[in-house]
Amino acid sequence: MNSYHSLTDIELTSLLKGGDYNAFNEIYNRFQGLLFIYACKITKDNDEAEDIVQEVFLYLWDKRLSIKLHSTISSYLYSAVRYKFFNLLDHKKIRTDYRVSFQHFLNLGENITDNYIREKEFNTLIEKEISALPDKMREVFELSRKLNLSRKEISAQLNISEKTVKNQINSALKILRKRLGLFAFLILLLNR
């Protein structure tokens, strides 16, 4: 076995391309500490720096037979650390963007759902109270509020006086205000 310590980077790279595990170990021992320091400087996080360096060396070993180096092994390794760091930043940004977007969707969805449920409950309550009105009063009220007919149109359609129409609508509104409470009553008037 040769002494791999005395080999140059170029010789080690050549042996690595031939699948020599001892050459890989020498490259690892020679550059791991320096790459870790470099990764710490750019990530500001020891754990992330260690992960990046390990991934770079795993990749180097996996691709040892097909790797194309356009410069020295040290340049390649430093570039690979930088690439992994930017890749990590992209993933963090995507995760953060996704988390923010998802939280916004949840908040918005929750508000929409709550509002929809409340609106349905109010409408159900209002419809229930309208249906409990005396028949003639309910008919006049529904023609006025749901079909938006004028007093004159209701009077002609039901063959009653406009004054009766007015009295029926006012009586219906008083009854509904009492039964529904002010808040639901205002909703009824606003949805007119």
Side-chain angles (χ1 to χ4, degrees):
M1 176 174 133
N2 328 359
S3 172
Y4 288 87
H5 267 348
S6 60
L7 296 176
T8 65
D9 291 349
I10 294 170
E11 291 169 323
L12 287 172
T13 303
S14 179
L15 291 170
L16 173 69
K17 287 181 180 182
D20 189 323
Y21 185 73
N22 291 323
F24 172 78
N25 273 340
E26 181 58 33
I27 292 170
Y28 180 84
N29 291 332
R30 203 173 277 187
F31 293 104
Q32 183 274 333
L34 296 170
L35 291 175
F36 177 73
I37 292 167
Y38 176 65
C40 283
K41 284 181 182 176
I42 60 175
T43 63
K44 310 286 191 254
D45 182 300
N46 288 357
D47 292 335
E48 285 181 355
E50 190 174 330
D51 289 346
I52 287 173
V53 171
Q54 292 304 317
E55 285 179 36
V56 166
F57 279 108
L58 282 172
Y59 183 82
L60 179 65
W61 179 250
D62 285 345
K63 302 297 181 187
R64 66 193 176 278
L65 302 176
S66 60
I67 203 159
K68 302 260 189 280
L69 298 179
H70 302 291
S71 60
T72 64
I73 188 75
S74 61
S75 294
Y76 172 82
L77 292 172
Y78 281 102
S79 295
V81 167
R82 245 188 336 275
Y83 173 80
K84 288 285 183 190
F85 171 68
F86 289 128
N87 201 19
L88 176 70
L89 286 181
D90 286 345
H91 280 83
K92 279 184 175 181
K93 181 175 177 3
I94 289 168
R95 278 197 304 266
T96 301
D97 290 350
Y98 175 77
R99 188 171 32 249
V100 167
S101 173
F102 188 65
Q103 190 59 51
H104 177 71
F105 169 78
L106 288 178
N107 294 342
L108 183 64
E110 194 175 290
N111 291 339
I112 290 170
T113 304
D114 286 351
N115 291 341
Y116 177 75
I117 290 170
R118 277 193 213 105
E119 185 179 335
K120 272 189 83 82
E121 287 172 352
F122 279 135
N123 286 338
T124 302
L125 177 65
I126 289 167
E127 289 303 317
K128 180 181 170 202
E129 292 303 330
I130 290 172
S131 67
L133 292 171
D135 290 342
K136 196 62 152 177
M137 186 183 292
R138 180 179 42 76
E139 187 178 14
V140 169
F141 185 80
E142 286 179 339
L143 289 172
S144 169
R145 294 302 193 248
K146 291 184 179 178
L147 298 180
N148 293 319
L149 297 181
S150 68
R151 288 182 192 151
K152 188 175 190 172
E153 291 169 323
I154 296 169
S155 169
Q157 186 171 329
L158 298 179
N159 201 24
I160 56 176
S161 72
E162 283 186 52
K163 184 172 177 156
T164 303
V165 171
K166 179 182 176 183
N167 290 341
Q168 291 288 335
I169 292 171
N170 287 339
S171 296
L173 289 172
K174 282 179 189 172
I175 291 169
L176 291 172
R177 183 166 190 258
K178 224 183 250 184
R179 290 182 185 166
L180 294 173
L182 182 61
F183 185 68
F185 181 70
L186 290 174
I187 290 174
L188 171 71
L189 291 179
L190 291 173
N191 286 337
R192 182 177 175 215

